[in-house]
Amino acid sequence: MNCKFVDLLFAAVTTVAVSACTLTQMEDIGYVEEDGLVTVTATAEPDGGDVRTSLQPDGSTIYWNPGDEIKLFAEEESAKFTSVNTVSGMTAKFKGMLSFAFGSNEGGDGSTYLWSLNPYQEDASFDGSAITATVPTVQEGVPGSFGKGTFPSIAKSDSWNLTYYNLCGGLKFNLKHAGINKVILKSNGGETLSGQVKIGVDG
């Protein structure tokens, strides 16, 4: 009889608190290459860290994987960025096309910040102060980890370095019997566990 650990993720909060940001004129343009590609560095919140994409064998460490995709928002732009790492790790570098320049509209509401959603969602949108995304209702369990695209997190930054914060809680459980192919979760009080969510950053 085999035991499989399965993680299912559900919406827990819609507002994420981060440390205060200040508007900054970017001086280091080394992240922008001649072909127009921009490189950003992704990490996780200092006190959490469970915002990456694959659970490691120790059951607690989560890594970014090569080929992971995130969505960046800046002013009126949005773009897909893809990890260029060749091995999994605690941090990752992502490349994509973005013409946004920090400080171009200093003092504007949110205009000098990068916002980002992990993982990439094609239909995710940004209204200048919040990201609208989806926590999937149907999630495919992965033994020992969690399904692709099921652990959303966001970042807001005044630099090319992005620190991501979790949006969801998770549930890990064992399946000890063969033939189980679906698990249905329901909230006790009718709370919403999945679907469209609007995420802002407080502070």
Side-chain angles (χ1 to χ4, degrees):
M1 177 164 43
N2 293 326
C3 297
K4 294 183 178 180
F5 289 101
V6 178
D7 282 338
L8 296 179
L9 307 167
F10 50 90
V13 293
T14 57
T15 301
V16 180
V18 299
S19 59
C21 296
T22 58
L23 301 175
T24 302
Q25 178 75 34
M26 286 297 293
E27 296 177 355
D28 182 4
I29 60 172
Y31 288 90
V32 183
E33 301 175 8
E34 290 184 1
D35 57 5
L37 286 175
V38 175
T39 301
V40 297
T41 300
T43 57
E45 56 184 307
D47 299 326
D50 299 341
V51 302
R52 304 175 187 93
T53 60
S54 65
L55 187 65
Q56 300 305 296
D58 64 8
S60 60
T61 305
I62 302 180
Y63 278 177
W64 296 102
N65 285 329
D68 281 344
E69 295 175 337
I70 58 177
K71 190 166 189 177
L72 262 66
F73 302 93
E75 296 181 334
E76 302 299 319
E77 289 187 79
S78 66
K80 179 192 291 185
F81 275 56
T82 304
S83 170
V84 294
N85 285 27
T86 57
V87 295
S88 298
M90 297 288 287
T91 63
K93 291 191 179 298
F94 290 79
K95 285 191 177 184
M97 297 291 293
L98 198 67
S99 62
F100 172 78
F102 283 97
S104 61
N105 186 18
E106 191 162 346
D109 184 15
S111 62
T112 58
Y113 293 105
L114 282 179
W115 290 66
S116 180
L117 173 70
N118 165 54
Y120 178 85
Q121 292 182 16
E122 176 66 31
D123 59 351
S125 61
F126 176 63
D127 65 7
S129 61
I131 294 174
T132 298
T134 301
V135 177
T137 299
V138 178
Q139 302 180 15
E140 182 177 351
V142 175
S145 189
F146 43 83
K148 183 177 180 180
T150 60
F151 216 153
S153 58
I154 67 168
K156 176 186 176 183
S157 179
D158 61 351
S159 76
W160 299 114
N161 299 308
L162 302 172
T163 301
Y164 287 85
Y165 292 80
N166 269 345
L167 308 180
C168 296
L171 178 66
K172 178 185 290 186
F173 54 90
N174 288 324
L175 299 177
K176 295 185 177 181
H177 302 284
I180 299 174
N181 55 31
K182 181 185 291 186
V183 175
I184 298 176
L185 302 180
K186 296 182 178 180
S187 60
N188 288 331
E191 297 87 355
T192 301
L193 300 181
S194 64
Q196 195 173 69
V197 59
K198 190 172 184 178
I199 313 110
V201 175
D202 182 8

